[in-house]
Amino acid sequence: NSEDVRCKCICPPYKDHSGHIYNKNVSQKDCDCLHVVEPMPVPGPDVEAYCLRCECKYEERSSVTIKVSSVLLLA
């Protein structure tokens, strides 16, 4: 399920740009700043420096397990 995977990039403040968290449904191999951060908040020459500061993590979850656990908890 595409809703059960995501790439989360946490980018700290850079120059005059505030920090931001980006989420996008991409494959694990595409889980990096260049594929997730859209629109890119910095101009071309600063992209590499900006992306080096970002921390990107691939996350998976099982929505079926979450739903079953919720039903059991409420029962």
Side-chain angles (χ1 to χ4, degrees):
N1 189 349
S2 63
E3 296 173 3
D4 288 343
V5 296
R6 72 175 178 180
C7 182
K8 180 178 182 179
C9 291
I10 301 172
C11 299
Y14 178 77
K15 293 187 178 180
D16 60 341
H17 300 281
S18 61
H20 196 74
I21 297 173
Y22 299 90
N23 292 303
K24 191 171 182 183
N25 291 341
V26 295
S27 67
Q28 189 169 7
K29 70 179 182 73
D30 290 334
C31 184
D32 58 36
C33 174
L34 294 174
H35 289 97
V36 176
V37 177
E38 289 180 356
M40 187 61 69
V42 296
D46 288 334
V47 169
E48 185 177 358
Y50 181 79
C51 282
L52 286 173
R53 299 169 57 88
C54 296
E55 181 182 338
C56 297
K57 292 183 181 177
Y58 185 73
E59 299 176 342
E60 292 183 71
R61 66 178 183 189
S62 173
S63 59
V64 172
T65 301
I66 294 169
K67 288 175 186 175
V68 169
S69 297
S70 297
V71 168
L72 291 175
L73 182 65
L74 295 173

